[in-house]
Amino acid sequence: MFLCKNVLHSLIISYMHRCLTFVKAHPFWKKYPLWLCVLALALIWFVLAVLLTLGFRESTRGLAYLLAFPLVVAGLYLAYERTQSLKKQNKTDGDRLLAETFARSIELLGHRKEAVRQGAIYALGKIAEDNHSELTAIINTLCAFIRHNRLNSQLIAKQGNTSRSEEYDVSEHLPIDIDAAVRTIAKLTQSLNSEDDDKSKNKKYDLSNTHLFLADFSNAKLVNFNLSDSYFLDCIFENTNFSNSNLVSSVFHRSDFEKATFDERTDIMKADFSKTENLDEGIEEAQKDEETKFPEHNKPVARRAGKPA
């Protein structure tokens, strides 16, 4: 009996060694699905477990544990594969829904009703909040919407055929869709981090050649923004960051710059701040020239680009 046991052990060990040699020489897991390979190995384990227990007085519980082990492993693996498959499917469905919502919102930006356009803008803002990878694209989209919206410029033009350097008595409220776009941009820019700033150094957000009145950019991070050749009337730039932005030839009338920040990369050449409020000494860091206009009580020394003040 003892001899039979030894022979059986030797045969099993030899069989296992040949199996391992075969597996190394024939990597079948590269040709067949992984789940099939796991089930095959579990079956082999089951057969070997039965052979190992033949002729031995093993306890019933130990035999049950030995035989159940491959089944438990196979069950756990199949559950893991099922979970991964569901995650992949959910991601695919989420990406498709995101693309459809984004495309639909872009389409609604051209709707004739202001309220519909306003809803589309808030929908884009929600997409950007939930998907940081879409943040830059959506900010640029909203900038383009403001830049190409003619209604806002026409409202200012209604005040008379005067040059933009004169006072305008604007009584209308900012259109609700433009107001929604401005507020959404201000909110989304607060989510921009230093990595986003580095990526956009050579690709600024474009708000140039725009006419805005009663726009609230409070707490906005207008870093790397192009605001050149624009007109801003009764706008609020409280605690706004203008680092590395282009404000060349822009006019700011009756606009509030309380706690606004500028740096040495901010270009304000030919800009007009003569009728602004709460413009502090921080603007001295910006690049300016002789044509840059400041309030009478705040006229910093002019500094050209690349030259210290």
Side-chain angles (χ1 to χ4, degrees), residues 43 60 71 83 85 138 169 172 197 203 232 234-235 271 283:
L43 180 61
T60 304
L71 300 179
T83 302
S85 177
I138 290 177
D169 183 19
E172 293 93 340
D197 294 341
K203 188 178 181 181
F232 298 91
D234 291 325
C235 295
I283 200 170

Side-chain angles (χ1 to χ4, degrees), residues 204-221:
K204 293 190 175 185
Y205 303 104
D206 191 1
L207 267 178
S208 60
N209 295 293
T210 57
H211 291 182
L212 287 173
F213 64 95
L214 301 174
D216 188 355
F217 285 96
S218 297
N219 301 308
K221 189 178 180 183

